[in-house]
Amino acid sequence: MFDIPLLYYPVFILVYLAYKVVFPPLNFPRNIPTIPFYVNFLPILFGIDQLDVFRLYLAEPLERYGAVKIFFGSRWNILVSKPEYLSQLFKDENTFAKSGNQKKIPYSVLAAYTGDNVISAHGAIWRKYRNAVTNGLQHFDDAPIWENTKLFRKLLSKKIENGNSNRLSMVPLIQRLALDNISNVALGFDFGTLKSDNCPLHQHLLHIKKKIFHPFFLTFPFFDRLPIPSRVKGFKEVESFRRELVRKVQDDLITNFKFEQTTFASSDLIRAYNREELNYKQLCDNMIIILIAGHENPQMALTSMFYFLAKYPEFQELIREEVKGITESKYLLELPILNSFIYEVLRYYPPLNSIINRCTTRACRLGSEIAIPKGVYVGYSNYGSSHNTKNWGEDHMEFKPERWGKEIESIHNNWKYAKNSCKITSFHGGRRVCLGEKLALTEIRITITEMVKHYKWKLPNDWQDRVTPAGPLSPWALELIFEERN
Ligand code: HEM
């Protein structure tokens, strides 16, 4: 045996870490391309956005091979975009088992925030959660959404009046609309952000989100294991926000003397907790995920809707004509231009660009050719499947609502077909299909309807047209210039 001087240990550790980061593990499939590990840092280093990264590094290999090796979240993963592979991923849940942050990075601030919930759980636990929340998310009263859109309009008009400018920063405003919608429709309380500029729960949420979605800690959650003071504080703040939210929901529902008749997703969660089918942590984890998925995804989608309506203003006029006199959601479902426009936006900018939260439970093959070892994280690229020549033709980079069809029946059928054949995976598909799709689409239809009736808007000439640098996908720091219609 020979002694290695202590001095060399840090060097060995660094070399080992670099080796783990720079190259995929040796047992990863060799017949698919490797995306350079540094692509994650390009938005931070060079100010480019996630679609620049996609165009430069992912588009061609994904189009050609349908799957690539990619470094993300402190590990190497496999990212898939080919419909056949996606369909296998979505169907064979026993092999590609859901494994969310609570398993992948249990030591992280992000995992402390989201916990073990209906989106990330697997097997019997997932079924228990899904049973509790399905009814409330599928059957809901859309009246609060109409009401909130009116409050949203009032807020816009007030901002324009007070600021002496009709140029508005849209992200915080849309977030307020999305938060009030999900809290009213699914959680059974009013977040109240549209009525007050300084709602304490909202301020708390904004504060912790900055900590959770820090690009460095998202790429290297491993550092959350270290006693870094800001991260230690982050854990405490996340916990206090979760408790505050659940207390608010419980207080509002319990003081509601008709609690037993309420059908919110949160009422069913509380009932499952009262029957001891869920423990307190599971109750919190699922309440919080309804809040997170229920406001962040529609927020991204709505931001993109506003953007595309500004970029192609002819659709503001066409949709305005279509929605004239309509005040009920069921009639909005029948409008071809409105619905094909929405589907095209969801294809063009899928709010969740890529999702990596499945882990192989055994060595297996993706298709007949890609051999994957046990314990590997496999995810899917929504942008990759909806921007792909094989799936969408040579014009997939063009924004063309008419690609969905002319008649409303064929438009909805084409949307269903694209989902069933995994050519569009913006809402996942199969058994684990998004439970909030109906709610989100209702919210989007109502918001567009009310907005085009009362405003015209356009992009400022000096606004930089780019998308978010990483994570959820939508126009970055969207600003719009509004004009009220008479
Ligand atoms: C435009 C808006 C939305 C988009 C694009 C979207 C997208 C998705 C996607 C891609 C998944 C699968 C995630 C995965 O693979 O792990 C999912 C699952 C889910 N979403 Fe949504 N979502 C949206 C809105 C909502 C809303 C408003 C809710 C309401 C709370 C919601 C609740 C859920 C739930 C509960 C699941 C888990 C389903 C399961 O695994 O059983 N989503 N969503």
Side-chain angles (χ1 to χ4, degrees):
M1 287 292 283
F2 55 92
D3 276 338
I4 301 169
L6 256 166
L7 189 71
Y8 289 122
Y9 277 85
V11 179
F12 285 137
I13 292 171
L14 277 179
V15 171
Y16 174 74
L17 282 178
Y19 178 69
K20 293 281 271 185
V21 170
V22 177
F23 305 107
L26 293 172
N27 62 355
F28 264 46
R30 304 272 171 93
N31 54 351
I32 55 172
T34 300
I35 306 301
F37 77 97
Y38 53 79
V39 300
N40 289 313
F41 309 115
L42 298 179
I44 307 170
L45 294 176
F46 300 108
I48 62 175
D49 69 25
Q50 57 181 299
L51 293 186
D52 294 324
V53 172
F54 185 89
R55 275 187 291 271
L56 289 169
Y57 294 94
L58 284 131
E60 200 269 332
L62 274 179
E63 173 107 33
R64 206 151 145 214
Y65 294 87
V68 294
K69 291 169 275 187
I70 190 162
F71 186 83
F72 184 72
S74 297
R75 58 160 51 82
W76 280 92
N77 312 274
I78 292 173
L79 188 70
V80 172
S81 68
K82 188 172 163 179
E84 292 83 339
Y85 300 160
L86 286 164
S87 159
Q88 188 186 345
L89 197 67
F90 292 170
K91 276 189 191 136
D92 188 357
E93 268 217 76
N94 288 333
T95 306
F96 301 97
K98 272 281 185 109
S99 178
N101 299 322
Q102 85 285 8
K103 288 202 179 134
K104 193 162 56 165
I105 40 172
Y107 42 79
S108 65
V109 176
L110 180 59
Y113 182 46
T114 53
D116 176 50
N117 58 62
V118 59
I119 298 187
S120 61
H122 173 68
I125 302 224
W126 162 69
R127 274 192 293 279
K128 194 156 72 165
Y129 297 161
R130 180 132 175 152
N131 283 343
V133 298
T134 299
N135 187 48
L137 293 180
Q138 294 297 298
H139 308 285
F140 53 86
D141 176 15
D142 65 17
I145 304 181
W146 287 98
E147 211 37 55
N148 287 338
T149 313
K150 289 198 180 81
L151 291 173
F152 181 69
R153 273 177 31 218
K154 262 195 199 161
L155 187 65
L156 290 194
S157 299
K158 198 171 102 193
K159 294 264 166 212
I160 293 170
E161 258 168 47
N162 291 353
N164 292 327
S165 162
N166 48 4
R167 176 171 174 159
L168 298 180
S169 174
M170 294 307 290
V171 178
L173 296 171
I174 296 174
Q175 184 178 65
R176 288 165 74 172
L177 174 64
L179 274 170
D180 281 12
N181 281 344
I182 196 66
S183 62
N184 288 143
V185 173
L187 292 172
F189 80 100
D190 186 14
F191 221 94
T193 69
L194 290 169
K195 293 182 194 128
S196 151
D197 279 339
N198 293 312
C199 163
L201 198 57
H202 187 208
Q203 297 307 318
H204 200 163
L205 179 65
L206 291 178
H207 178 72
I208 61 166
K209 269 183 154 185
K210 276 195 204 129
K211 300 223 151 136
I212 293 163
F213 298 109
H214 192 293
F216 178 80
F217 292 99
L218 281 182
T219 310
F220 292 111
F222 163 82
F223 283 89
D224 277 346
R225 286 176 189 265
L226 306 179
I228 302 168
S230 69
R231 304 306 284 172
V232 174
K233 199 163 167 230
F235 278 106
K236 286 196 186 129
E237 287 169 351
V238 160
E239 189 46 36
S240 85
F241 176 78
R242 284 165 48 98
R243 286 186 176 273
E244 201 179 330
L245 175 79
V246 175
R247 202 169 34 242
K248 179 99 191 102
V249 175
Q250 278 182 315
D251 286 354
D252 278 33
L253 285 179
I254 287 160
T255 51
N256 180 344
F257 66 99
K258 287 187 183 157
F259 170 68
E260 276 313 322
Q261 284 109 58
T262 58
T263 54
F264 301 109
S266 60
S267 328
D268 286 336
L269 280 170
I270 293 177
R271 281 191 271 272
Y273 169 67
N274 290 344
R275 289 193 300 267
E276 297 184 4
E277 289 161 14
L278 302 180
N279 62 33
Y280 184 72
K281 180 167 181 323
Q282 293 172 322
L283 173 73
C284 295
D285 289 349
N286 284 290
M287 291 260 193
I288 201 94
I289 206 64
I290 289 178
L291 179 82
I292 299 172
H295 91 272
E296 274 176 9
N297 301 341
Q299 179 189 336
M300 294 290 146
L302 282 168
T303 307
S304 300
M305 299 289 156
F306 274 99
Y307 164 80
F308 280 103
L309 282 164
K311 195 159 175 173
Y312 302 100
E314 63 275 21
F315 281 97
Q316 293 182 38
E317 303 309 319
L318 290 167
I319 295 173
R320 182 175 149 86
E321 263 313 295
E322 247 192 5
V323 300
K324 241 181 207 161
I326 296 185
T327 50
E328 275 182 68
S329 298
K330 62 180 177 194
Y331 300 118
L332 297 180
L333 251 175
E334 293 164 13
L335 307 178
I337 303 175
L338 175 67
N339 286 285
S340 57
F341 176 86
I342 293 173
Y343 293 155
E344 182 67 349
V345 175
L346 291 168
R347 180 193 74 85
Y348 208 93
Y349 279 177
L352 299 165
N353 181 350
S354 50
I355 301 174
I356 306 179
N357 63 2
R358 287 167 185 275
C359 188
T360 51
T361 54
R362 59 179 182 90
C364 59
R365 276 178 186 275
L366 202 51
S368 56
E369 50 294 317
I370 304 174
I372 306 180
K374 183 179 171 181
V376 171
Y377 273 85
V378 183
Y380 56 106
S381 167
N382 285 323
Y383 191 84
S385 51
S386 61
H387 290 270
N388 184 308
T389 317
K390 284 178 207 137
N391 291 350
W392 295 97
E394 293 293 336
D395 63 355
H396 66 87
M397 286 308 291
E398 284 172 42
F399 182 79
K400 280 172 74 174
E402 62 273 22
R403 75 173 73 241
W404 294 95
K406 269 195 163 17
E407 313 299 328
I408 191 62
E409 212 183 344
S410 56
I411 292 169
H412 288 314
N413 283 343
N414 285 336
W415 171 251
K416 276 187 212 139
Y417 170 75
K419 283 195 299 178
N420 292 341
S421 54
C422 291
K423 290 183 178 158
I424 198 154
T425 47
S426 308
F427 289 96
H428 199 278
R431 275 186 350 137
R432 302 297 298 254
V433 68
C434 170
L435 269 175
E437 177 179 341
K438 186 174 156 197
L439 201 167
L441 291 176
T442 305
E443 184 172 353
I444 292 169
R445 286 189 198 104
I446 295 176
T447 308
I448 295 182
T449 299
E450 281 295 295
M451 290 304 296
V452 294
K453 278 184 187 169
H454 297 275
Y455 299 95
K456 278 185 191 173
W457 60 94
K458 62 179 182 184
L459 293 165
N461 290 335
D462 59 352
W463 177 75
Q464 200 185 344
D465 194 343
R466 57 182 177 160
V467 298
T468 37
L473 172 66
S474 75
W476 179 237
L478 180 66
E479 291 184 24
L480 293 173
I481 296 178
F482 282 89
E483 188 187 322
E484 295 207 40
R485 294 187 193 253
N486 299 321

